[in-house]
Amino acid sequence: MSDSPGQQSRYFLRGEVLEIDGDFTFRTIHGFIQYCRKTLPQFSGEHLTIDIEGIRSMDSGGVTAINFIRKDLEKRGIGTTLSGGSSRTRKKLDVFSEAEAGIEEESEELVRKAGYFEKLGKRSAEIFNKYVTSFFKLMSEITYWTFAGLFTKRAYRKGEVSNQAVLMGVNAALIVGMMSFIIGLVLALQSAAQLRSFGANIYIVDLTVIAMMSEMGPLITAIMVAGRSGSSIAAEIATMKVTSETDALKTMGVIPVRFIVVPKMYGGLLTMPFLTILADVLGIMGGMLIAGAYLDIAPVVFLNRMGDVLYLRDIIFGVVKSLVFIYLIVISGSYFGFSASKVDSGVGRVTTSAVVFSIALVIFADSIMGLFFY
Amino acid sequence: MEGKHSIIEVKDLISVMNNTVILSDINFHVEQGEIAVIIGGSGSGKTTVLKHLLGLYHSMDQAVSVMGENPSVLEEHEQKAFYKKIGVMYQEGALLKSLTVGENVGLPLEQHTNLPPDFITEVVRLKLQMVQLENAIDKFPSQLSGGMLKRAALARAIVMDPPVLFCDEPGSGLDPVTLYALDELIINLKEQLGMTVVMVTHDVSSVLHMADRVIFLEKGVSIFQGTVKDAKYSDHANIREFFARGMGE
Ligand SMILES: Nc1ncnc2c1ncn2[C@@H]1O[C@H](COP(=O)(O)OP(=O)(O)O)[C@@H](O)[C@H]1O
Ligand SMILES: [Mg+2]
């Protein structure tokens, strides 16, 4: 490629400043790179300022050229700073440097040779930023379409919401019910001996009911659902990504989140409260069994006392929690699903991460909500 | 070449992903009503070029123009309007596994129009007839063979009669007879509807059969674009070899 008459660029190294002027595009960067290859090896300073104030136009080639020499210099331990530049030039740099992680704007005082831990820290901060940003982006997109989906034309298959409600909710009922019954049983059993030694038998009711309703019920349900649905959401989306189904949706004018995630969100939000209440009830029944067997508290007495200690507020709190949990589970399942790519074909990897992450998120959210509402 | 106008233009396109340069210098154009074929070894970047044309990957302002627009920088509603004008047949077929073949083919219509469902079914039936799949309308993609999947994917891509059709390796995995029929179908679309077609293929016979223009990629660089005739006598040994191999068969 030769310089066309309309496109000219100039560049000179003066002391610790490299100045670039004119049109900095594919048509002109060739000379620039040659110039840098010749002059920069002799550069002996600790820091180079690249002055891009004079750049009139720039394309991806120009951006790459700048990043290219900066990388080179940084390898030699020479810090670089960009100075000046019109907003258009800056924007191009941003757009095209996205892929080139590791080249970050540095402020003047930070420019010196970075130590190992500094690099490690910086890299982790970048990774953190990248993932956290994309997580919240997806979260807001899903949240938006969950609400907007109520008022706009349906973008998913007819019957998909009830299909998902069955998959996520109804099919989970047996395991959720069983688990919470056992937990209720164990919880009561563990405390029975203690309570008896104080003669405080009746408090077994308070303990079981409050613990199940406001804490264990929602939590057990969420953990079971995260294990079942969090993983399957991640696997389904990851598979769709690998087989280009998500691309196909996009190019048919369908927003993938609306087609794939929103019906799952609706299905989950609809069934999760019922699952949670089921877990509460069965857990309390487990406690009731132990109360009868070990502490001589008849079911009638148990239920009577339950009426005294059970407040509507606790039930509502449990339900609200369960809604928050399913919201987080669907989002983290989707996040890991969408993060899969053909290159590392990581369907298995993302499913595991989705489960671990959604359970962690659920427990985290549980403690936050506990702090706020108690 | 005067009188026609370029419907697709790619200028100095480069593509960087995860710190790897995948495309470093792609230049070509496609004129209205042509069948342009992108050829190149596996991993040479053919699918990546298509994804840039479709706006699935970001391209710099001037690097990509399809019907006058760079789809990767459009606003959401503009993008939707853009996608109404193109059809895409993906390398893997990419039929949605949760929908039947008929629902798959009808999805673009359902998205972009307010037509009544029974009318949509009618259109779907017609398009499936064109690819000889009318019996598969209520089947799920998992119940179809590879060749049938490809044809269903083509039916979906052309359901709205888009002015521009993109096909990524439509022929791979097809037997020669089915492949010939598929090529004929695409030629018909071009001749009867004036569709512009951009397709990726490995198959020399398809190229000779249908291409108006070939674009040859090598390691992320477009080393040749022009007519088939010019390509056969190109200076590039790899290109000559590609055609020689095909004609020797
Ligand atoms: N998202 C991606 N991230 C990183 N590398 C990729 C990505 N997509 C494709 N590649 C790499 O780019 C090259 C070209 O890929 P592709 O365009 O699919 O080739 P082709 O379709 O010509 O076989 C391959 O080496 C592939 O591994
Ligand atoms: Mg490919």
Side-chain angles (χ1 to χ4, degrees), chain A residues 343, chain B residues 17-18 22 41-48 57 91:
Chain A
V343 185
Chain B
M17 251 170 287
N18 305 327
I22 294 172
S42 158
S44 58
K46 305 180 296 293
T47 300
T48 309
Y57 290 153
Q91 194 167 351

Side-chain angles (χ1 to χ4, degrees), chain A residues 212-257:
Chain A
M212 279 321 290
M213 279 287 176
S214 60
E215 197 59 46
M216 297 311 279
L219 202 58
I220 297 163
T221 312
I223 289 175
M224 296 315 286
V225 170
R228 293 180 79 254
S229 304
S231 59
S232 77
I233 290 172
E236 183 184 332
I237 296 176
T239 314
M240 291 181 80
K241 262 205 91 173
V242 172
T243 56
S244 297
E245 284 172 64
T246 50
D247 285 344
L249 281 171
K250 268 187 232 160
T251 54
M252 286 189 284
V254 186
I255 296 164
V257 162

